Amino acid sequence: MGDRVQVFVNGKPETLYRGMRVRHALIARDQALYDAAERGELRVEDGNGFSLDLDGGLTDGMKILTRPAG
């Protein structure tokens, strides 16, 4: 098991250290995504449409999608 995982944020790959959180993946993709999620302007979902918590853990190959809230 390596010390890094690759996740996909809105279809774009990001490589992060194992143990980092969903919030870190958003920040790695675009700080504005994280800021909007923190303000509640975006929903964060996995590839199956289930809501993700910003403090949720990352798994290798995970798909993270952002959608407008409301």
Side-chain angles (χ1 to χ4, degrees):
M1 178 164 43
D3 63 344
R4 295 181 188 214
V5 294
Q6 185 176 55
V7 299
F8 297 86
V9 180
N10 293 332
K12 308 275 176 135
E14 296 293 339
T15 301
L16 299 158
Y17 286 103
R18 193 171 298 281
M20 294 183 93
R21 304 293 176 189
V22 169
R23 71 179 59 245
H24 300 118
L26 294 180
I27 291 168
R29 170 65 13 220
D30 185 341
Q31 178 74 43
L33 284 177
Y34 171 71
D35 293 341
E38 273 285 293
R39 290 191 301 265
E41 297 170 2
L42 290 178
R43 291 180 309 154
V44 183
E45 302 175 348
D46 68 9
N48 294 313
F50 293 105
S51 293
L52 294 173
D53 189 283
L54 293 178
D55 286 325
L58 301 175
T59 58
D60 197 38
M62 183 176 185
K63 293 181 177 114
I64 299 170
L65 303 169
T66 58
R67 308 265 188 239

